[in-house]
Amino acid sequence: MLIYNVTINVEDSVHLQWLEWMKSTHIPEVLATGKFIEATMTRVLVDEEMGGITYSVQYKVSDRKTLDAYYREDAERLRKKTVQRFGNALVAFRTELQVITIEKGPIKSATTHLFAYGTLQDPEVQKMVFSRGLKGEEDYLKSHSISAKRVGGLYPTIQKSADQNERVNGFVYIISQEELQLVDAYEGEAYQRKEVTLASGIRAWVYTEKTY
């Protein structure tokens, strides 16, 4: 995972106008390219010798190929819009950061069980969705099987089985309600969330194709 960081120093005379434009127009347009997972905007708490106010916008991107596609297909067009609107009233420089590890303390509100049998078992996907890795326990869902049909031709889903010996193996994780909303967004419109009882007796949420 990479972070595309843009640091901007903006003159006091256009600061409030620029800030509103960034939040309402520019950042949404960057995210609308479909290249980035999320954007975080922060103010740099330092008195600049050059004057003005400095901000940092960090765009999270899954890989180098996607970031290069942004440079090739979108960056120049969006930069021109900024220059046309604010001219020399701001100075920006850009850096690329590689995410090495993300560690978080225990989440006290993490009381929701999630059963993952597909991509959410991947540590890199977990970091992309939750900004942290998850620690889970092996478990399985009885009387179910992995469907031969793939959602969007790529992603797995499960189906009920008349054979009680069939099962879907996976991991059960404990997450917060807020994180469950992140999974909803990650799975998208093609999946639905259902509550099931795992072999361990744990009640957990699982995502299946909407026709399931």
Side-chain angles (χ1 to χ4, degrees):
M1 187 184 304
L2 301 174
I3 292 174
Y4 173 55
N5 179 78
V6 184
T7 303
I8 312 105
N9 177 269
V10 57
E11 292 181 1
D12 293 314
S13 60
V14 298
H15 168 236
L16 294 180
Q17 178 188 355
W18 172 85
L19 184 59
E20 179 59 31
W21 176 79
M22 284 291 290
K23 293 189 292 184
S24 65
T25 302
H26 183 70
I27 292 176
E29 285 185 342
V30 174
L31 294 177
T33 65
K35 307 297 195 305
F36 299 100
I37 300 163
E38 65 180 21
T40 301
M41 186 178 194
T42 60
R43 179 169 174 170
V44 180
L45 300 179
V46 63
D47 292 328
E48 296 283 5
E49 291 184 6
M50 63 188 295
I53 301 169
T54 300
Y55 287 84
S56 169
V57 185
Q58 295 191 337
Y59 300 95
K60 188 185 294 183
V61 59
S62 59
D63 52 44
R64 161 61 57 188
K65 181 179 178 181
T66 305
L67 182 57
D68 285 343
Y70 170 76
Y71 291 150
R72 186 173 60 253
E73 300 168 6
D74 309 291
E76 186 64 25
R77 169 177 56 85
L78 293 170
R79 289 176 192 173
K80 283 182 178 179
K81 283 188 175 183
T82 304
V83 172
Q84 288 171 357
R85 189 173 184 90
F86 296 101
N88 296 323
L90 56 87
V91 176
F93 67 89
R94 298 158 181 86
T95 51
E96 298 175 4
L97 309 174
Q98 182 181 13
V99 177
I100 303 301
T101 184
I102 299 173
E103 305 294 338
K104 288 189 175 183
I107 300 176
K108 294 181 180 179
S109 61
T111 57
T112 301
H113 288 92
L114 170 70
F115 180 66
Y117 57 87
T119 57
L120 280 171
Q121 298 175 94
D122 186 333
E124 290 302 314
V125 173
Q126 292 173 4
K127 290 176 183 178
M128 181 181 72
V129 175
F130 305 105
S131 296
R132 69 184 182 101
L134 302 180
K135 292 183 179 180
E137 298 290 336
E138 289 187 70
D139 212 328
Y140 63 91
L141 183 60
K142 295 187 289 186
S143 302
H144 284 72
S145 63
I146 298 291
S147 173
K149 182 180 179 181
R150 294 271 167 164
V151 177
L154 295 172
Y155 304 106
T157 188
I158 61 176
Q159 60 188 6
K160 287 184 178 179
S161 173
D163 185 350
Q164 294 187 354
N165 292 319
E166 282 202 284
R167 69 189 208 181
V168 174
N169 296 315
F171 281 81
V172 60
Y173 305 99
I174 301 178
I175 61 174
S176 68
Q177 281 291 326
E178 292 78 11
E179 288 177 320
L180 191 62
Q181 302 304 313
L182 296 177
V183 185
D184 286 344
Y186 168 73
E187 297 290 3
E189 293 297 321
Y191 284 87
Q192 63 183 352
R193 171 159 46 95
K194 299 186 69 172
E195 195 171 23
V196 296
T197 301
L198 302 175
S200 62
I202 292 173
R203 293 285 290 173
W205 291 107
V206 66
Y207 288 81
T208 68
E209 188 180 18
K210 275 194 173 177
T211 55
Y212 171 75

